[in-house]
Structures are given as C-alpha cells and as structure tokens.
Amino acid sequence: MSTNLDKFRVIEKMMEEARPLMVEYLAVLDERQAYMSIYRSEYRKLRNGSKEAIRIVEEHVRSKDDFSALYDDVVYAVREAIERLEEARQTEDETEHLEKVIGALRDVLGDFKRHSGINLKAIEKSKEISDRYNIPLQGLQSFIELQESQSTPLPIESAEELLEELEKADRLYLASFREYREMCESDDEVYILYSDIVDDLLEAGLNAAADKLESVLPESSAERVARPDPQPLLSILTPIKSSGLEYFQSKNAKSESYNYNVNFARELAYTRRALLEQREMKGTNNAFKRINEAYDLLETYMYERFHQLGGTPYNYHGHLNR
C-alpha cells in the first residue's frame, strides 16, 4: 500500500518535470501575446473590408434592379407606341408612313420578346427608331444613361451569387474573433477562400469590391506564431485521482496533508483544463501560477512533517528537531 510519502514523491517528480516545460510553454505564449494584437487588427480589417465589399456588391445589385425596371419600361413604351399608332392609322388617309413606323416597332418588340435577358441590340434599334421617326419612348433615355454609367455588364443573378458567397464566408469565419483565430492557426483556409472571392469579383468586373477585399486579406498560416503543443505537459500532469494519488490520509488530527493534497489536485485539474482549452498567455499563466503555489504549499508541509509520511524521523523519539 502506498504511503503518503510515496504519493508525494510521485507528485514531486511530476512537478520537477513539468516546471521547465511550463517556462518554455509560457515563453511561446508570450511571443504569441504580442502577435494577438496583430491578429485582432487583422480580424477587424477583414471584417470591415468584407462589409464594404458587400456594400459595393449590394449597390451593384440595386443598380441592376433599376436597370431591369427601366428596361421593362422601354419594352412597355414600345408596345404602347404601337397601340397609339394603330389607333391613329384608323383615322388617317395616308397610312404608309404609319405602317412603316409600326412595322419597325413591331420588329423591335419581337426582338425584346425573343430575348430572355436584357437585349442591348433591341435598345439600340429602339433608339434609332425613336430618333428617326420622332417617336418618344418613355424610359429609353434613362436606360441608356444608366447603361453607359455601368462599369460592368454583370447579370444581377451573378452579382447576387457573389453577394451570397461573401456573406457565407463572413458567417463561417468572421462570426467571432476566436473562431477566426482558430481557423487561421489550423491552415490557410481563410486566406484561400477570401482570395478566391477576390478573383471572382475581379472576373465579374467588380473591381472596387475586389480591391477593397484584397487590401485586407489575412496572412498565410506559415507566417504566424504557432501555438505551443500542450501534449507534453498533459502527459506529465496526470490527474491526481485517476493516478491513485488522492487522498493523503493521516491519523494525526492536526495533519493538513489531506487538505493540501486536495487543493493541489484541484489546481492540477484547472491547469489541465487550461491546456486542453488552449488558453492564451493570461489564462495559462494564471493556471500555472495557481498550480505552482498549491504545490509549494504541499511540498513545504510535507518536508516539515516528514515523519508523518512514512519517512525516518530526525530523532529516536519520532519528533522533529526544532
């Protein structure tokens, strides 16, 4: 049966092995702590840059909505012009000119109907007919002006797909700083995804959105300060209870060995949790400080009460030398 001294010796060896590793672990976290401000700045820039890119694409979608509405107005104006001219033809003696104009308008209306999307050639023909025969077509000039101001002929469906792609990426990677940091540390998935979106925006002609997003792309994971591996410490700092080291027993009513051991076991569990949760400098340093303080109390008490642990007393009476 293990004595309290046997149990303490195991704990003592555990801490002798763990303490140098704790120092090394904290040194890496200290280096990372300086990098955390860069991480946070990078996260904020990407989040804000993505929001700005989304705003630009949304403006494009809205302009395309206006574009489509004006296009429909032009088609309706052509149809309405045909109806007006047909009514006028019934009261005119000379209808040859009207027939010619009506025929031209019917041709262009057919062009509109045969095209599922926006038919710019039909718009051009409508403009020619309007100018040649002095036929006002409501919305035509507004459509032409808006069309000339467009930087890209990107269909609204494609713009909406890009908008959805951006919003999905933000939900996946920018919902919280912690999720963003963990993803960046695991691989280059965040950088690759947003870089691909930049390429898609450029290909679509949405250069302003692409430039904004490209300017805030995160670094690749190869350029980051890697998180220290907690496994070596976890393999040394084994749980007290499952290792058979809990709880110290003593027949001495004034013995505090049990309480110090339980306190150390509690702090050891807290330290393991901090390592498993991969806490940063502040949280890990606090955990290491707590376990070291708990061990120091236990160690001091054990050496002061050596004879109670199954060791050899200092004198034959079994009392401590004072």
Side-chain angles (χ1 to χ4, degrees):
M1 179 179 178
S2 297
T3 65
N4 289 348
L5 178 61
D6 294 330
K7 296 176 182 178
F8 173 69
R9 290 304 188 200
V10 175
I11 293 173
E12 185 178 45
K13 184 175 184 296
M14 175 194 298
M15 290 302 293
E16 286 175 352
E17 294 177 1
R19 277 177 160 171
L21 294 182
M22 289 181 185
V23 173
E24 295 175 7
Y25 195 91
L26 288 177
V28 178
L29 287 183
D30 186 51
E31 186 180 359
R32 276 174 57 82
Q33 187 177 29
Y35 198 78
M36 282 301 102
S37 60
I38 298 176
Y39 257 128
R40 291 185 183 279
S41 174
E42 182 182 272
Y43 168 72
R44 286 192 296 269
K45 286 180 180 178
L46 180 58
R47 184 184 59 187
N48 295 336
S50 182
K51 286 181 179 179
E52 179 63 16
I54 287 174
R55 185 192 64 78
I56 294 171
V57 177
E58 284 177 338
E59 283 186 358
H60 181 84
V61 170
R62 283 194 295 272
S63 70
K64 287 298 181 182
D65 286 338
D66 296 340
F67 202 62
S68 297
L70 285 172
Y71 182 82
D72 291 340
D73 288 345
V74 174
V75 176
Y76 180 79
V78 171
R79 185 180 292 110
E80 193 176 50
I82 293 172
E83 292 175 357
R84 287 199 313 270
L85 292 173
E86 286 179 338
E87 290 178 2
R89 183 179 56 184
Q90 295 175 4
T91 60
E92 293 288 336
D93 294 331
E94 296 293 333
T95 61
E96 183 178 350
H97 175 72
L98 290 176
E99 292 288 357
K100 191 173 184 180
V101 177
I102 291 171
L105 288 172
R106 282 177 175 168
D107 285 344
V108 78
L109 183 60
D111 291 340
F112 281 125
K113 289 180 178 179
R114 284 189 293 271
H115 201 284
S116 58
I118 291 178
N119 189 341
L120 294 180
K121 289 185 177 180
I123 291 291
E124 292 175 3
K125 288 175 66 175
S126 299
K127 174 65 172 171
E128 291 174 2
I129 294 170
S130 177
D131 291 343
R132 182 184 304 168
Y133 300 111
N134 194 26
I135 303 295
L137 296 175
Q138 185 176 357
L140 178 60
Q141 189 57 37
S142 297
F143 177 90
I144 292 172
E145 291 174 358
L146 181 60
Q147 190 267 332
E148 289 175 348
S149 69
Q150 293 292 306
S151 59
T152 172
L154 179 68
I156 189 170
E157 294 81 5
S158 299
E160 288 175 341
E161 288 175 3
L162 285 171
L163 187 61
E164 184 178 346
E165 187 178 0
L166 269 168
E167 291 174 340
K168 182 179 179 181
D170 286 0
R171 288 194 301 270
L172 284 173
Y173 302 119
L174 302 181
S176 72
F177 170 69
R178 180 175 180 176
E179 291 178 1
Y180 167 79
R181 175 177 55 76
E182 289 175 350
M183 289 301 301
C184 286
E185 289 177 344
S186 61
D187 52 39
D188 286 337
E189 187 174 344
V190 176
Y191 173 83
I192 292 171
L193 176 62
Y194 280 96
S195 181
D196 287 345
I197 294 176
V198 168
D199 292 340
D200 292 341
L201 290 169
L202 287 172
E203 186 176 348
L206 294 169
N207 296 342
D211 291 344
K212 185 61 183 178
L213 193 58
E214 187 175 27
S215 68
V216 295
L217 286 178
E219 295 179 356
S220 68
S221 60
E223 299 169 331
R224 302 181 185 278
V225 179
R227 176 185 293 280
D229 182 10
Q231 198 54 49
L233 273 170
L234 288 169
S235 63
I236 294 172
L237 298 173
T238 54
I240 294 297
K241 191 170 184 178
S242 63
S243 300
L245 304 177
E246 194 177 22
Y247 297 103
F248 286 17
Q249 302 296 329
S250 175
K251 295 180 181 179
N252 190 328
K254 295 183 179 180
S255 174
E256 295 293 335
S257 60
Y258 174 86
N259 293 333
Y260 283 127
N261 177 248
V262 169
N263 183 53
F264 175 77
R266 185 184 303 114
E267 297 307 332
L268 174 56
Y270 182 82
T271 298
R272 285 182 57 83
R273 187 162 66 251
L275 291 169
L276 288 168
E277 292 175 356
Q278 296 189 325
R279 296 177 188 174
E280 292 298 334
M281 180 64 180
K282 184 177 180 180
T284 306
N285 187 48
N286 180 54
F288 286 179
K289 182 179 179 181
R290 285 171 55 169
I291 191 176
N292 277 304
E293 289 176 351
Y295 174 71
D296 288 341
L297 289 172
L298 176 64
E299 180 188 39
T300 300
Y301 184 83
M302 290 305 182
Y303 276 103
E304 287 179 350
R305 303 299 179 92
F306 189 71
H307 65 284
Q308 294 182 8
L309 310 179
T312 303
Y314 287 112
N315 57 48
Y316 70 94
H317 293 296
H319 300 300
L320 289 172
N321 286 329
R322 299 295 181 184

